[in-house]
Amino acid sequence: MRSKLFVPGSRPELFEKAMRSDADAISFDFEDSVPAGQKQQARICVSEFLRAEAAALQRRKILIVRVNDLSSQFFSDDLDTAAQAGVHLLNIPKVESADDILQAVALLAALERERGLINAIGILANIESPRGLRLAHEIAAAHPRVVGLQIGFGDLFEPLGISRKDKAAVHHLQLAVRLAAGEAGISAYDAAFTDLRDSDGYIEEARSANRLGFAGKTCVHPSQIADANREFGPNPAEIAFSHKVVVAWAEALAAGRGAITVEGRMIDAPFAMKAQTVLERAGQSSSSAH
Protein backbone atom coordinates (compact mmCIF):
# COMPACT_ATOMS: atom_id res chain seq x y z
CA MET A 1 0.00 0.00 0.00
CA ARG A 2 1.95 3.00 -1.24
CA SER A 3 -1.01 5.23 -0.42
CA LYS A 4 -3.82 4.70 2.10
CA LEU A 5 -6.62 7.26 1.96
CA PHE A 6 -8.63 7.96 5.10
CA VAL A 7 -12.36 8.48 4.63
CA PRO A 8 -14.61 9.37 7.60
CA GLY A 9 -17.22 6.63 8.01
CA SER A 10 -19.82 9.34 8.59
CA ARG A 11 -19.28 10.85 5.11
CA PRO A 12 -20.86 8.36 2.68
CA GLU A 13 -20.90 10.99 -0.06
CA LEU A 14 -17.11 10.60 -0.19
CA PHE A 15 -16.99 6.80 -0.48
CA GLU A 16 -17.39 6.40 -4.22
CA LYS A 17 -15.09 9.34 -4.91
CA ALA A 18 -12.43 7.69 -2.76
CA MET A 19 -12.88 4.42 -4.63
CA ARG A 20 -12.29 6.22 -7.93
CA SER A 21 -9.05 7.75 -6.66
CA ASP A 22 -5.56 6.40 -7.34
CA ALA A 23 -5.02 5.37 -3.72
CA ASP A 24 -3.90 1.77 -3.28
CA ALA A 25 -6.05 1.39 -0.16
CA ILE A 26 -9.11 3.04 1.36
CA SER A 27 -9.46 3.23 5.13
CA PHE A 28 -13.00 3.80 6.38
CA ASP A 29 -12.57 5.53 9.71
CA PHE A 30 -14.67 5.09 12.84
CA GLU A 31 -12.16 6.73 15.19
CA ASP A 32 -10.84 10.30 15.29
CA SER A 33 -12.71 11.73 12.30
CA VAL A 34 -16.13 10.60 13.59
CA PRO A 35 -17.71 12.35 16.62
CA ALA A 36 -19.15 10.09 19.32
CA GLY A 37 -22.72 10.97 18.39
CA GLN A 38 -22.19 9.93 14.76
CA LYS A 39 -20.38 6.62 15.25
CA GLN A 40 -23.43 4.40 14.92
CA GLN A 41 -24.53 6.17 11.76
CA ALA A 42 -20.98 5.80 10.42
CA ARG A 43 -21.12 2.04 11.01
CA ILE A 44 -24.40 1.82 9.15
CA CYS A 45 -23.08 3.84 6.20
CA VAL A 46 -19.89 1.80 5.85
CA SER A 47 -21.67 -1.53 6.30
CA GLU A 48 -24.25 -0.73 3.64
CA PHE A 49 -21.58 0.40 1.20
CA LEU A 50 -19.47 -2.70 1.73
CA ARG A 51 -22.39 -5.11 1.46
CA ALA A 52 -23.70 -3.47 -1.69
CA GLU A 53 -20.42 -3.72 -3.56
CA ALA A 54 -18.28 -6.27 -1.67
CA ALA A 55 -17.12 -8.37 -4.62
CA ALA A 56 -16.34 -5.41 -6.87
CA LEU A 57 -14.66 -3.46 -4.09
CA GLN A 58 -12.24 -6.25 -3.23
CA ARG A 59 -10.97 -6.31 -6.79
CA ARG A 60 -10.44 -2.57 -6.96
CA LYS A 61 -8.79 -1.58 -3.68
CA ILE A 62 -7.33 -2.82 -0.43
CA LEU A 63 -10.15 -2.06 2.00
CA ILE A 64 -9.47 -1.18 5.62
CA VAL A 65 -11.68 -0.29 8.54
CA ARG A 66 -10.09 1.73 11.35
CA VAL A 67 -11.94 0.97 14.55
CA ASN A 68 -11.72 2.68 17.93
CA ASP A 69 -9.15 1.28 20.35
CA LEU A 70 -9.77 -1.88 22.37
CA SER A 71 -10.41 -0.04 25.61
CA SER A 72 -13.06 2.13 23.99
CA GLN A 73 -16.78 1.60 24.51
CA PHE A 74 -17.08 1.67 20.72
CA PHE A 75 -14.68 -1.18 19.89
CA SER A 76 -17.14 -4.07 20.03
CA ASP A 77 -19.68 -2.44 17.72
CA ASP A 78 -16.92 -1.25 15.38
CA LEU A 79 -15.53 -4.78 15.12
CA ASP A 80 -18.99 -6.18 14.48
CA THR A 81 -19.26 -3.88 11.47
CA ALA A 82 -15.73 -4.50 10.21
CA ALA A 83 -15.98 -8.31 10.24
CA GLN A 84 -17.63 -8.76 6.88
CA ALA A 85 -16.87 -9.72 3.30
CA GLY A 86 -15.00 -7.08 1.37
CA VAL A 87 -12.76 -5.97 4.23
CA HIS A 88 -9.08 -6.87 3.93
CA LEU A 89 -7.60 -5.23 7.02
CA LEU A 90 -8.63 -4.10 10.49
CA ASN A 91 -6.68 -1.03 11.59
CA ILE A 92 -6.45 -0.97 15.38
CA PRO A 93 -5.27 2.28 17.00
CA LYS A 94 -3.27 2.67 20.21
CA VAL A 95 -2.10 -0.94 20.40
CA GLU A 96 0.12 -1.33 23.46
CA SER A 97 0.89 -5.04 23.81
CA ALA A 98 0.84 -8.44 22.19
CA ASP A 99 -2.13 -9.24 24.43
CA ASP A 100 -4.11 -6.47 22.73
CA ILE A 101 -3.52 -8.18 19.40
CA LEU A 102 -4.44 -11.62 20.72
CA GLN A 103 -7.64 -10.25 22.24
CA ALA A 104 -8.64 -8.62 18.96
CA VAL A 105 -7.78 -11.74 16.96
CA ALA A 106 -9.92 -13.95 19.19
CA LEU A 107 -12.93 -11.67 18.85
CA LEU A 108 -12.43 -11.24 15.12
CA ALA A 109 -12.01 -14.96 14.50
CA ALA A 110 -15.22 -15.71 16.41
CA LEU A 111 -17.17 -13.32 14.21
CA GLU A 112 -15.63 -14.76 11.05
CA ARG A 113 -16.60 -18.30 12.06
CA GLU A 114 -20.11 -17.18 12.94
CA ARG A 115 -20.53 -15.49 9.56
CA GLY A 116 -18.77 -18.09 7.45
CA LEU A 117 -16.12 -15.71 6.20
CA ILE A 118 -13.48 -17.62 4.27
CA ASN A 119 -10.63 -15.12 4.06
CA ALA A 120 -9.14 -14.09 7.39
CA ILE A 121 -9.01 -10.32 7.90
CA GLY A 122 -5.51 -9.02 8.59
CA ILE A 123 -4.50 -6.50 11.23
CA LEU A 124 -2.67 -3.21 10.82
CA ALA A 125 -1.52 -2.15 14.29
CA ASN A 126 -0.93 1.49 15.17
CA ILE A 127 2.08 2.40 17.29
CA GLU A 128 1.18 5.68 18.96
CA SER A 129 2.13 5.59 22.63
CA PRO A 130 5.42 5.27 24.54
CA ARG A 131 4.46 1.78 25.73
CA GLY A 132 3.39 0.72 22.25
CA LEU A 133 6.71 1.91 20.87
CA ARG A 134 8.67 0.07 23.57
CA LEU A 135 6.80 -3.18 22.81
CA ALA A 136 6.47 -2.67 19.06
CA HIS A 137 8.47 -5.79 18.18
CA GLU A 138 6.19 -7.93 20.39
CA ILE A 139 3.11 -6.40 18.81
CA ALA A 140 4.46 -7.03 15.32
CA ALA A 141 5.15 -10.71 16.08
CA ALA A 142 2.06 -11.34 18.22
CA HIS A 143 0.06 -13.19 15.56
CA PRO A 144 0.28 -14.05 11.83
CA ARG A 145 -2.70 -11.78 11.18
CA VAL A 146 -0.56 -8.73 11.92
CA VAL A 147 0.59 -7.63 8.47
CA GLY A 148 1.90 -4.17 9.28
CA LEU A 149 2.75 -1.53 11.85
CA GLN A 150 1.71 2.07 11.36
CA ILE A 151 3.06 5.14 13.12
CA GLY A 152 0.73 7.61 14.82
CA PHE A 153 2.77 10.76 15.39
CA GLY A 154 -0.08 12.88 16.73
CA ASP A 155 -1.14 10.61 19.57
CA LEU A 156 2.46 9.89 20.53
CA PHE A 157 4.04 13.34 20.18
CA GLU A 158 1.34 15.79 21.23
CA PRO A 159 0.77 14.60 24.84
CA LEU A 160 4.55 14.62 25.39
CA GLY A 161 5.11 18.07 23.89
CA ILE A 162 7.34 16.72 21.11
CA SER A 163 7.26 18.85 17.96
CA ARG A 164 6.45 17.15 14.66
CA LYS A 165 8.97 19.55 13.14
CA ASP A 166 11.78 17.93 15.11
CA LYS A 167 13.28 15.85 12.32
CA ALA A 168 15.47 13.86 14.68
CA ALA A 169 12.44 12.78 16.71
CA VAL A 170 10.50 11.85 13.58
CA HIS A 171 13.44 9.88 12.19
CA HIS A 172 13.98 8.06 15.49
CA LEU A 173 10.37 6.94 15.65
CA GLN A 174 10.32 5.90 12.00
CA LEU A 175 13.47 3.84 12.40
CA ALA A 176 12.28 2.18 15.62
CA VAL A 177 8.97 1.13 14.07
CA ARG A 178 10.63 -0.03 10.86
CA LEU A 179 13.07 -2.23 12.76
CA ALA A 180 10.29 -3.69 14.90
CA ALA A 181 8.29 -4.52 11.77
CA GLY A 182 11.39 -5.89 10.08
CA GLU A 183 12.10 -8.24 12.98
CA ALA A 184 8.66 -9.78 12.44
CA GLY A 185 8.99 -9.78 8.65
CA ILE A 186 6.05 -7.43 8.10
CA SER A 187 5.64 -3.98 6.53
CA ALA A 188 5.78 -0.57 8.16
CA TYR A 189 3.59 2.37 7.13
CA ASP A 190 4.21 6.04 7.78
CA ALA A 191 1.79 8.35 9.54
CA ALA A 192 -0.78 10.85 8.40
CA PHE A 193 0.37 14.42 7.67
CA THR A 194 -2.45 16.81 8.48
CA ASP A 195 -1.09 20.16 7.23
CA LEU A 196 -2.57 20.13 3.75
CA ARG A 197 -0.90 23.44 2.93
CA ASP A 198 2.56 21.95 3.40
CA SER A 199 2.96 19.55 0.50
CA ASP A 200 6.74 19.88 0.74
CA GLY A 201 6.58 18.67 4.33
CA TYR A 202 4.51 15.65 3.30
CA ILE A 203 6.97 14.77 0.55
CA GLU A 204 9.99 15.22 2.82
CA GLU A 205 8.49 12.92 5.45
CA ALA A 206 7.52 10.35 2.80
CA ARG A 207 11.05 10.36 1.37
CA SER A 208 12.52 9.85 4.83
CA ALA A 209 10.20 6.90 5.39
CA ASN A 210 10.98 5.45 1.97
CA ARG A 211 14.72 5.60 2.67
CA LEU A 212 14.05 3.57 5.82
CA GLY A 213 12.18 0.89 3.90
CA PHE A 214 8.60 1.85 4.69
CA ALA A 215 5.99 0.50 2.29
CA GLY A 216 3.74 3.55 2.13
CA LYS A 217 2.14 6.54 3.83
CA THR A 218 -1.31 7.61 4.94
CA CYS A 219 -3.22 10.27 3.01
CA VAL A 220 -5.84 12.41 4.73
CA HIS A 221 -6.79 14.16 1.48
CA PRO A 222 -6.82 13.03 -2.17
CA SER A 223 -4.24 15.73 -2.97
CA GLN A 224 -1.60 13.65 -1.14
CA ILE A 225 -2.16 10.43 -3.09
CA ALA A 226 0.04 11.21 -6.09
CA ASP A 227 2.94 12.18 -3.83
CA ALA A 228 2.67 8.95 -1.84
CA ASN A 229 2.43 6.77 -4.95
CA ARG A 230 5.42 8.47 -6.51
CA GLU A 231 7.65 8.44 -3.43
CA PHE A 232 6.97 4.80 -2.53
CA GLY A 233 6.84 3.39 -6.02
CA PRO A 234 10.14 2.10 -7.48
CA ASN A 235 11.51 4.46 -10.12
CA PRO A 236 12.45 3.18 -13.61
CA ALA A 237 16.20 3.25 -12.91
CA GLU A 238 15.73 1.23 -9.69
CA ILE A 239 13.55 -1.31 -11.49
CA ALA A 240 16.03 -1.70 -14.36
CA PHE A 241 18.95 -2.20 -11.97
CA SER A 242 16.95 -4.72 -9.93
CA HIS A 243 16.24 -6.73 -13.09
CA LYS A 244 19.98 -6.92 -13.75
CA VAL A 245 20.68 -7.97 -10.16
CA VAL A 246 18.05 -10.72 -10.17
CA VAL A 247 19.35 -12.19 -13.44
CA ALA A 248 22.99 -11.97 -12.38
CA TRP A 249 22.25 -13.43 -8.95
CA ALA A 250 20.44 -16.42 -10.42
CA GLU A 251 23.42 -17.09 -12.67
CA ALA A 252 25.81 -16.68 -9.72
CA LEU A 253 23.89 -19.17 -7.59
CA ALA A 254 23.91 -21.68 -10.44
CA ALA A 255 27.68 -21.25 -10.67
CA GLY A 256 28.13 -21.63 -6.91
CA ARG A 257 29.13 -18.02 -6.23
CA GLY A 258 27.94 -16.07 -3.19
CA ALA A 259 29.00 -12.57 -4.20
CA ILE A 260 29.07 -10.72 -7.52
CA THR A 261 29.31 -7.19 -8.90
CA VAL A 262 26.62 -5.49 -10.96
CA GLU A 263 27.44 -2.09 -12.49
CA GLY A 264 30.36 -1.79 -10.09
CA ARG A 265 28.32 -2.56 -6.97
CA MET A 266 28.99 -5.55 -4.75
CA ILE A 267 25.93 -7.82 -4.54
CA ASP A 268 25.36 -10.64 -2.09
CA ALA A 269 22.23 -12.25 -0.65
CA PRO A 270 20.70 -9.22 1.18
CA PHE A 271 21.07 -7.01 -1.91
CA ALA A 272 19.61 -9.72 -4.13
CA MET A 273 16.62 -10.00 -1.79
CA LYS A 274 16.13 -6.24 -1.97
CA ALA A 275 16.18 -6.36 -5.78
CA GLN A 276 13.50 -9.04 -5.75
CA THR A 277 11.40 -6.91 -3.40
CA VAL A 278 11.71 -3.92 -5.75
CA LEU A 279 10.38 -6.01 -8.63
CA GLU A 280 7.51 -7.28 -6.51
CA ARG A 281 6.61 -3.72 -5.50
CA ALA A 282 6.68 -2.76 -9.17
CA GLY A 283 4.31 -5.62 -9.96
CA GLN A 284 6.90 -7.53 -11.94
CA SER A 285 8.04 -11.11 -11.45
CA SER A 286 11.62 -12.25 -11.40
CA SER A 287 10.94 -14.42 -14.46
CA SER A 288 10.28 -11.30 -16.54
CA ALA A 289 13.89 -10.32 -15.95
CA HIS A 290 15.13 -13.24 -18.09
Side-chain angles (χ1 to χ4, degrees):
M1 300 183 293
R2 299 167 302 169
S3 53
K4 175 169 65 67
L5 178 63
F6 266 126
V7 182
S10 55
R11 299 286 304 278
E13 70 276 13
L14 299 178
F15 294 175
E16 192 55 49
K17 182 179 179 180
M19 295 302 300
R20 291 196 302 268
S21 76
D22 290 329
D24 291 341
I26 305 299
S27 182
F28 298 98
D29 186 32
F30 292 154
E31 198 206 13
D32 289 342
S33 68
V34 180
Q38 297 180 23
K39 291 191 186 291
Q40 179 55 24
Q41 184 58 37
R43 295 185 198 105
I44 293 171
C45 291
V46 171
S47 182
E48 289 179 348
F49 186 72
L50 291 173
R51 288 173 181 167
E53 303 187 51
L57 291 175
Q58 278 195 312
R59 290 193 296 269
R60 292 163 60 190
K61 300 285 185 188
I62 297 170
L63 299 182
I64 306 167
V65 175
R66 182 171 78 164
V67 296
N68 287 271
D69 66 271
L70 279 90
S71 64
S72 165
Q73 61 178 311
F74 306 113
F75 177 78
S76 179
D77 289 336
D78 290 350
L79 185 63
D80 185 67
T81 299
Q84 63 174 284
V87 174
H88 298 94
L89 297 175
L90 184 72
N91 183 203
I92 306 178
K94 303 177 178 67
V95 178
E96 295 203 314
S97 69
D99 286 342
D100 284 350
I101 294 296
L102 296 178
Q103 178 186 344
V105 167
L107 295 170
L108 180 58
L111 288 170
E112 289 172 338
R113 287 193 300 270
E114 176 185 314
R115 296 169 185 182
L117 298 179
I118 300 174
N119 297 319
I121 296 171
I123 291 177
L124 178 63
N126 284 16
I127 304 300
E128 44 194 349
S129 72
R131 185 168 189 262
L133 180 61
R134 177 167 56 84
L135 300 177
H137 68 290
E138 296 181 10
I139 292 167
H143 194 276
R145 286 199 193 224
V146 181
V147 300
L149 298 181
Q150 179 174 296
I151 297 176
F153 283 121
D155 284 282
L156 180 53
F157 280 0
E158 293 300 324
L160 300 176
I162 300 173
S163 172
R164 181 73 172 267
K165 294 185 182 299
D166 188 322
K167 295 180 182 179
V170 170
H171 183 272
H172 174 80
L173 181 55
Q174 287 176 328
L175 180 58
V177 170
R178 177 67 186 99
L179 291 175
E183 182 178 355
I186 63 175
S187 298
Y189 295 93
D190 201 30
F193 190 90
T194 56
D195 189 350
L196 300 179
R197 300 165 300 177
D198 186 9
S199 59
D200 290 342
Y202 183 92
I203 293 170
E204 181 181 8
E205 210 168 81
R207 286 179 178 170
S208 173
N210 185 43
R211 287 193 296 268
L212 293 174
F214 277 66
K217 186 170 178 62
T218 295
C219 306
V220 295
H221 190 273
S223 63
Q224 297 174 330
I225 295 172
D227 290 331
N229 286 346
R230 182 185 64 253
E231 296 303 327
F232 290 96
N235 60 56
E238 188 178 11
I239 294 171
F241 179 72
S242 296
H243 272 296
K244 293 179 181 178
V245 168
V246 168
V247 172
W249 185 248
E251 293 172 351
L253 290 179
R257 288 182 288 155
I260 57 174
T261 58
V262 177
E263 294 186 355
R265 302 186 214 178
M266 194 278 287
I267 302 295
D268 58 9
F271 295 95
M273 290 174 62
K274 178 183 178 182
Q276 182 60 53
T277 299
V278 168
L279 296 185
E280 290 171 355
R281 288 174 62 190
Q284 301 181 32
S285 65
S286 58
S287 61
S288 64
H290 293 275

